[in-house]
Amino acid sequence: MASDVDTAPLVGRAELVQTVRSALLGGAAHGQTAAVFLNGESGVGKTRLLGEIGARLREQGAVVLTGSCLDIGDASPLHPLLQALRRFDADVSTSHARASSAVRGLLQMFADETAGPDGAGALLERVSRGLHLIAEGRPLVLILDDLQWVDRSTRQLLLYLLAGLGDLQLSVLAAVRAESLQGVHPLRRVLTELRRLRTVQVLDLAPLGRADTEKLAGAVVGRTLSSDAAEQVWQRSGGNPFVIEELARDLRDGRDGLSETLREIFLDRVDALPQHAHAVVHAVAAGVEPVQHWLLAQVLRLPEDELIDAARAAVAHRLLVGDDDGYRLRHRLVAEVLAHELLPAERSGLHRRYAEALTAAPGELHQARLAHHWRLAGEPARALPAAVAAAQEAERLHGYAEAHRHWSAALQLAVGPGPLAVDRVELLGNAAEAAHHCGEHARALALLEELAALQGGEPSCALHIRRARYLAAAGRSALAEEEYQRALEAADCSPRDRAAAAARLAELLLHLGRYADAGQRAREALALAENVEGSATEVVLASSALGFSDACLEDPDAGLAVMRDALDTAERAGQPEDVACAYLHLAELLTGPLNILEEGVVVARRGAERVAELGLGRTWGTRLLAIAINGLFRVGQWAEAEKVVATALRHRPSGADAVELLLARCRLSVGYGDIEAAGRDLDAVATLLAGGGARHVIPLLTLRSGLAMWEGRHDVARLAVQRGLTESRSDDVMILSALVWHGLRAEAEAHASRTVDVDPTAVRRLRDVAERVARKSAGAARPVRSVVEGFLALCAAEVSRLDGSDPELWAVSAAEWDRRQHPYPAAYSRLRQAEALLARRSRVATAGKLLREAYRVAQGLGAVPLTSEIRELAGRARVSLEERETTGGTRGAPSEASDDELAALTAREREVLALVAEGLTNKEIGQRLFISERTIGVHVSHIFDKLQVRTRVQASAIQLRNHRG
């Protein structure tokens, strides 16, 4: 079923095309007949595949005859063969005069054929000889479409030729519409017999998967689809390529609803069903999938035998899929089509029977389904309590996304005349809280505003606290701080509310890097909580903030002990948000100020698993995974960090949670040199941070500065740093010291490149800030001082580049970062130390050793920009980056050399190389590993550099050589 509108690319079938080509030409090469039958539903792409494979076979020198069967049965014997011969005669060139003559002779034979005593056998033999002449010793392939309509004579000819009775080596490729092979269709028996032949393959053509569906739809539309549009196309099409293309064209052209083409196709298929099967499909279309067999029996009230026969017919016609948990429509579009084929009374009657059957069912009630069916049956009063019960049931299981959906449905049901079974104020409050928990921050704030308007008067203290929580989660920190202050100043603020406001404000200040203020508010909250019964949440929040503040500013061990106690308290109390908050602060403390990275990554990943169990994976789980990514980045485990990014992206986070993840991914992209991906993430973060605080703004501007420097835009890097210094109110000396280093590095890069003048005023300001950070960190805890000292060492060394780089300062920086086990800044420091030594024309051997060590680390990480700069400096200085042999003797055996060929590759690069060797494209590898195509390109470039090859074939050969046997 091909579209006649325009041509879409062939997607997701590359492996199948190669399989079919090999099967057809492989058999012919060995002097055997071969056949491949493609079996699939309408629209799955059989005709398109026949054309694509036929074109490839012609390119390889095969003679290809193409014909189609007609839906008129035996009324036109041998029609597909006659059609194929006529097409071939019209297309054959004059250079194949003998083939053309043989074709015309065969056509004339058909025209002159009369009944004789030798019967059909003689005809088949003459056809075989004619095809032999046409082939002229070349592979011969007969391609037949719509084989389900094949006439008897053509069917006999195929069996004759495939059995090898015609003394002709040929291949047959045919497409069969699966839903047409029902009952005693003669082709069913033929295919059953042919499956037993070694040279025959019957391949079931499956619909496209989720990724290929999105790729095909995007190609038709002409742009990448939004996640919502892609999901809709996937759900409605079921992966059927024809349906995908039609839906994508409607999307591209701005058409709403369902095209008449698709509507007629599905209606024809439903109308072809027996009566009871027709009723089954209508009932399943109205139900909530999967529709269990017992429920379908209650709704349709058919005898068991008749129901089973009807369901079997619907499955056989490819309209339903049946498995252990019930029946589903193969295409959700069927439900859309059938929704317009029933009268309103018929539809509401179906939903009423569903609701009555579910209500009468023994055991647990299916509240969500009940609400759905009562609503569509026109009974909102009976649907509303079911929707509320479904929401409460989802919340008990921490399914906040589902709870939000049910509360929203309840709000819609509660609109209208008549008394309500529940209070609308209560509905709004529950819906807002569920939206907040599942990451729908904008929706939570909108519902809260509606709640405030409904209540009337001045906002209460509790409302201020709730709005502040939602604003903070949405990344609007400045507004959130203002709301907490209003709550504390409100006249109606109870002791519990005051303790809650103080504790949550302490947590917010902590996130903003204002540790002293956070500690002060945390102590206030703990004092207030002492006089409030059941204040576990406030105690956990305040303890976490206090522990973090103490660990950064005073005593790391005592602060860490406070935070571990907070986690224990949260687990005992059992409140999901308290547990998540305690895990988050503990992981942040370990991977940040205390620099205990390995333990911090473990805590973050364990915490992400725990909060996912509690239903908070999209929000708190994402932030915990972002912490793990940053920790893995710092210790140089970039490939593992990429895997964690892929896991976190599956949560589809929003607001501040998305900011954390995007910044973490951006660090990887900047390190890898994926400029475009890093820029996209930074732009997305800037959009989300319309009111954010230093917690996110300074890391954003630091990354923007680093990215601009690798691009050679040193003036842009300077502006980003200056903006960060101007807007910052943070006490976090670590993020400030990193920002200052980037600023001084930008001035040093400008000086070295001579593309932008150094700004003396900016340098003075940066040096002043560095001195202020040094003074402030002197009173901080030892681990905090240690990290800051590393950045200050980088700052001092960068300043020396402005008037002759000092190799000793760079040696100090490298040693500082080695001690902290941060390989990336250590490698960067060695590059600059070697650069300084070479500029002074001294200790060239030492410089070479430093470059080789930095090069090894940079390549191991996959840091393309840093690797390129090392390679450029080594080239100018004529320094070899290959490790020199330290021991004498002969070279190892070939097998030993081969074993070392992949030693330089990272774990992720080995994964990519293995998939390259399988023949996958960068796009396909990206889909397999859940990372972008551009990032795969970066990995492939690293692999080529490390293996010293120029093509994918050469790289694949090395991979295969190292994994042989």
Side-chain angles (χ1 to χ4, degrees):
M1 185 184 297
S3 173
D4 58 358
V5 181
D6 53 19
T7 302
L10 186 67
V11 172
R13 305 298 194 196
E15 184 176 346
L16 178 65
V17 169
Q18 182 59 41
T19 298
V20 174
R21 286 171 57 198
S22 300
L24 296 177
L25 294 184
H30 293 88
Q32 298 174 333
T33 59
V36 175
F37 295 91
L38 299 178
N39 184 44
E41 66 181 350
S42 300
V44 80
K46 301 182 296 297
T47 301
R48 177 68 188 281
L49 274 171
L50 295 185
E52 183 74 19
I53 296 168
R56 303 277 184 92
L57 294 173
R58 288 189 187 93
E59 292 171 1
Q60 292 182 262
V63 176
V64 179
L65 305 178
T66 304
S68 300
C69 303
L70 295 180
D71 188 15
I72 53 176
D74 294 336
S76 181
L78 294 175
H79 168 80
L81 179 60
L82 291 169
Q83 183 188 54
L85 292 170
R86 293 187 187 107
R87 288 175 175 173
F88 185 77
D89 186 39
D91 295 338
V92 72
S93 64
T94 55
S95 61
H96 293 288
R98 288 181 58 191
S100 179
S101 176
V103 169
R104 289 170 186 167
L106 196 51
L107 287 171
Q108 187 61 45
M109 181 204 72
F110 284 121
D112 298 339
E113 180 69 16
T114 59
D118 50 1
L123 173 63
L124 296 178
E125 186 178 349
R126 288 195 294 275
V127 171
S128 177
R129 285 202 301 268
L131 293 175
H132 184 81
L133 292 173
I134 293 170
E136 294 185 299
R138 292 172 291 168
L140 177 66
V141 181
L142 179 60
I143 296 181
L144 302 175
D145 199 4
D146 286 324
L147 196 67
Q148 70 277 358
W149 296 324
V150 66
D151 60 275
R152 182 180 181 185
S153 299
T154 304
R155 196 162 61 242
Q156 289 179 334
L157 174 63
L158 286 177
L159 293 174
Y160 179 84
L161 297 175
L162 291 176
L165 300 177
D167 194 24
L168 172 70
Q169 282 75 48
L170 92 160
S171 300
V172 175
L173 173 61
V176 184
R177 188 176 297 181
E179 64 267 27
S180 297
L181 301 185
Q182 305 302 324
V184 292
H185 194 292
L187 193 59
R188 286 186 67 181
R189 182 171 54 82
V190 171
L191 291 179
T192 300
E193 293 299 323
L194 289 177
R195 282 179 186 267
R196 300 175 182 177
L197 299 179
R198 185 172 51 85
T199 56
V200 174
Q201 296 186 50
V202 181
L203 304 178
D204 292 318
L205 197 55
L208 298 180
R210 173 68 170 78
D212 286 331
T213 295
E214 184 173 350
K215 182 178 180 180
L216 176 56
V220 173
V221 174
R223 65 179 186 275
T224 301
L225 270 61
S226 68
S227 58
D228 289 341
E231 180 66 19
Q232 186 180 45
V233 171
W234 164 244
Q235 292 294 339
R236 297 176 76 195
S237 69
N240 184 288
F242 175 78
V243 179
I244 294 167
E245 292 178 32
E246 290 293 319
L247 292 174
R249 289 189 187 98
D250 288 344
L251 190 64
R252 179 192 64 193
D253 300 337
R255 290 193 295 267
D256 293 328
L258 197 61
S259 70
E260 286 303 314
T261 302
L262 287 176
R263 189 179 301 280
E264 291 302 321
I265 287 170
F266 283 112
L267 280 177
D268 286 346
R269 291 176 63 181
V270 173
D271 289 343
L273 291 170
Q275 179 182 356
H276 290 325
H278 194 279
V280 164
V281 173
H282 272 285
V284 173
V288 177
E289 296 182 345
V291 177
Q292 296 94 332
H293 185 81
W294 69 265
L295 182 57
L296 193 61
Q298 291 289 322
V299 171
L300 291 177
R301 300 164 187 168
L302 288 173
E304 182 70 6
D305 291 345
E306 292 183 19
L307 177 59
I308 290 175
D309 289 342
R312 180 178 286 114
V315 171
H317 280 76
R318 299 298 181 103
L319 288 165
L320 289 187
V321 176
D323 49 36
D324 291 341
D325 61 351
Y327 300 102
R328 293 179 174 85
L329 293 172
R330 185 175 287 273
H331 302 287
R332 285 305 306 167
L333 281 176
V334 174
E336 297 182 39
V337 172
L338 296 182
H340 301 284
E341 298 304 308
L342 294 177
L343 294 172
E346 290 178 297
R347 282 198 302 274
S348 62
L350 263 177
H351 289 293
R352 179 178 295 277
R353 291 202 297 275
Y354 266 116
E356 290 170 347
L358 288 168
T359 302
E364 182 183 357
L365 292 178
H366 307 274
Q367 300 294 349
R369 292 189 177 195
L370 268 178
H372 170 79
H373 288 300
W374 280 130
R375 178 175 62 84
L376 293 179
E379 298 275 4
R382 302 181 75 172
L384 179 56
V388 170
Q392 293 169 341
E393 182 178 303
E395 286 182 342
R396 282 196 299 272
L397 300 173
H398 309 297
Y400 294 108
E402 294 78 8
H404 172 229
R405 186 167 64 250
H406 296 314
W407 286 123
S408 298
L411 281 170
Q412 292 177 347
L413 291 166
V415 176
L420 295 179
V422 292
D423 182 7
R424 185 167 180 80
V425 170
E426 182 184 348
L427 285 180
L428 284 167
N430 287 326
E433 194 68 10
H436 164 67
H437 279 302
C438 72
E440 296 288 346
H441 304 303
R443 174 67 174 159
L445 287 165
L447 289 167
L448 198 61
E449 294 309 310
E450 186 178 348
L451 174 61
L454 192 62
Q455 288 179 326
E458 291 295 321
S460 67
C461 176
L463 199 61
H464 281 305
I465 293 174
R466 182 180 275 196
R467 185 181 290 118
R469 285 171 50 224
Y470 296 177
L471 286 167
R476 300 162 69 181
S477 305
L479 294 175
E481 184 178 357
E482 292 175 7
E483 285 293 325
Y484 280 130
Q485 292 289 359
R486 291 191 185 102
L488 289 169
E489 296 165 3
D492 67 336
C493 200
S494 66
R496 178 180 296 280
D497 286 342
R498 200 174 298 279
R504 292 190 180 280
L505 179 55
E507 181 195 22
L508 177 65
L509 293 170
L510 186 68
H511 283 307
L512 295 176
R514 292 158 56 186
Y515 299 140
D517 292 342
Q520 179 183 344
R521 289 294 187 184
R523 289 184 176 88
E524 291 176 15
L526 288 171
L528 289 166
E530 285 181 0
N531 301 316
V532 178
E533 289 292 330
S535 57
T537 296
E538 291 73 21
V539 170
V540 169
L541 289 175
S543 297
S544 295
L546 180 60
F548 204 106
S549 175
D550 286 350
C552 291
L553 302 178
E554 298 176 13
D555 186 342
D557 294 334
L560 190 57
V562 169
M563 296 192 71
R564 293 191 194 279
D565 288 343
L567 178 57
D568 291 340
T569 301
E571 288 284 11
R572 286 195 302 272
Q575 289 297 320
E577 276 207 353
D578 296 347
V579 174
C581 178
Y583 265 115
L584 182 77
H585 291 321
L586 180 57
E588 282 181 325
L589 180 63
L590 290 167
T591 59
L594 300 189
N595 197 42
I596 309 174
L597 295 175
E598 290 82 359
E599 183 182 354
V601 169
V602 171
V603 169
R605 297 179 82 166
R606 184 191 305 138
E609 293 177 0
R610 177 74 177 106
V611 300
E613 295 171 0
L614 299 174
L616 301 176
R618 185 181 180 193
T619 51
W620 295 89
T622 298
R623 294 165 68 182
L624 281 160
L625 291 176
I627 293 171
I629 294 162
N630 289 329
L632 291 166
F633 176 84
R634 292 185 188 120
V635 297
Q637 296 183 32
W638 292 8
E640 184 63 23
E642 278 189 284
K643 295 179 181 178
V644 181
V645 168
T647 300
L649 284 173
R650 296 192 186 103
H651 291 311
R652 298 178 64 188
S654 64
D657 313 313
V659 167
E660 299 276 6
L661 179 58
L662 290 171
L663 288 173
R665 183 171 69 174
C666 184
R667 287 186 184 90
L668 282 169
S669 297
V670 171
Y672 281 135
D674 193 343
I675 304 300
E676 185 176 337
R680 282 197 307 270
D681 283 345
L682 289 176
D683 290 343
V685 169
T687 302
L688 290 168
L689 285 183
R695 170 75 176 182
H696 294 130
V697 171
I698 291 183
L700 163 69
L701 294 171
T702 302
L703 284 168
R704 197 175 287 285
S705 174
L707 179 63
M709 278 187 275
W710 286 132
E711 294 178 293
R713 302 162 62 201
H714 308 307
D715 52 340
V716 175
R718 172 191 294 153
L719 289 173
V721 172
Q722 293 302 317
R723 181 186 158 199
L725 294 175
T726 301
E727 296 183 7
S728 169
R729 292 177 57 201
S730 176
D731 288 338
D732 193 329
V733 289
M734 290 187 298
I735 63 173
L736 281 174
S737 59
L739 181 69
V740 172
W741 167 48
H742 277 72
L744 289 169
R745 180 183 163 201
E747 299 300 335
E749 296 287 355
H751 174 73
S753 66
R754 295 181 172 82
T755 56
V756 180
D757 292 334
V758 174
D759 185 345
T761 303
V763 173
R764 280 196 300 275
R765 184 184 184 189
L766 288 164
R767 295 182 72 170
D768 289 344
V769 175
E771 291 173 4
R772 189 164 68 248
V773 167
R775 289 195 300 272
K776 201 165 188 177
S777 65
R782 178 183 51 76
V784 177
R785 289 200 310 272
S786 178
V787 174
V788 172
E789 285 167 2
F791 282 113
L792 293 178
L794 283 167
C795 290
E798 295 288 3
V799 169
S800 77
R801 292 176 68 194
L802 298 173
D803 52 5
S805 190
D806 185 344
E808 295 305 319
L809 289 176
W810 286 112
V812 170
S813 176
E816 289 281 352
W817 290 108
D818 279 341
R819 188 165 65 250
R820 292 166 185 77
Q821 297 181 346
H822 289 219
Y824 185 80
Y828 172 79
S829 299
R830 287 190 172 84
L831 162 65
R832 295 296 174 223
Q833 183 184 358
E835 183 181 56
L837 290 171
L838 292 170
R840 298 185 178 196
R841 294 182 173 83
S842 64
R843 298 164 60 191
V844 175
T846 300
K849 181 179 179 181
L850 290 168
L851 282 176
R852 283 189 288 274
E853 190 169 350
Y855 184 69
R856 176 183 58 78
V857 172
Q859 275 209 314
L861 293 172
V864 172
L866 182 59
T867 300
S868 299
E869 192 165 350
I870 294 169
R871 192 182 292 121
E872 181 184 354
L873 177 61
R876 293 201 311 268
R878 296 184 179 181
V879 170
S880 172
L881 294 175
E882 298 298 321
E883 294 288 346
R884 297 178 181 177
E885 293 187 14
T886 57
T887 57
T890 60
R891 294 182 180 271
S895 61
E896 293 172 353
S898 175
D899 288 342
D900 291 336
E901 285 181 295
L902 304 183
L905 302 187
T906 66
R908 176 63 91 183
E909 287 166 352
R910 288 172 183 261
E911 287 183 284
V912 172
L913 178 57
L915 296 174
V916 167
E918 290 182 21
L920 272 64
T921 65
N922 287 1
K923 179 72 171 179
E924 291 167 335
I925 296 172
Q927 291 170 349
R928 183 82 63 87
L929 300 180
F930 303 103
I931 51 182
S932 72
E933 180 179 3
R934 181 172 292 275
T935 301
I936 294 298
V938 171
H939 284 312
V940 171
S941 176
H942 296 170
I943 292 167
F944 284 9
D945 285 344
K946 294 179 181 181
L947 298 183
Q948 298 183 0
V949 297
R950 301 179 64 183
T951 69
R952 298 171 84 91
V953 173
Q954 293 171 333
S956 299
I958 294 176
Q959 166 72 10
L960 295 172
R961 184 163 63 241
N962 280 268
H963 290 82
R964 191 172 294 159

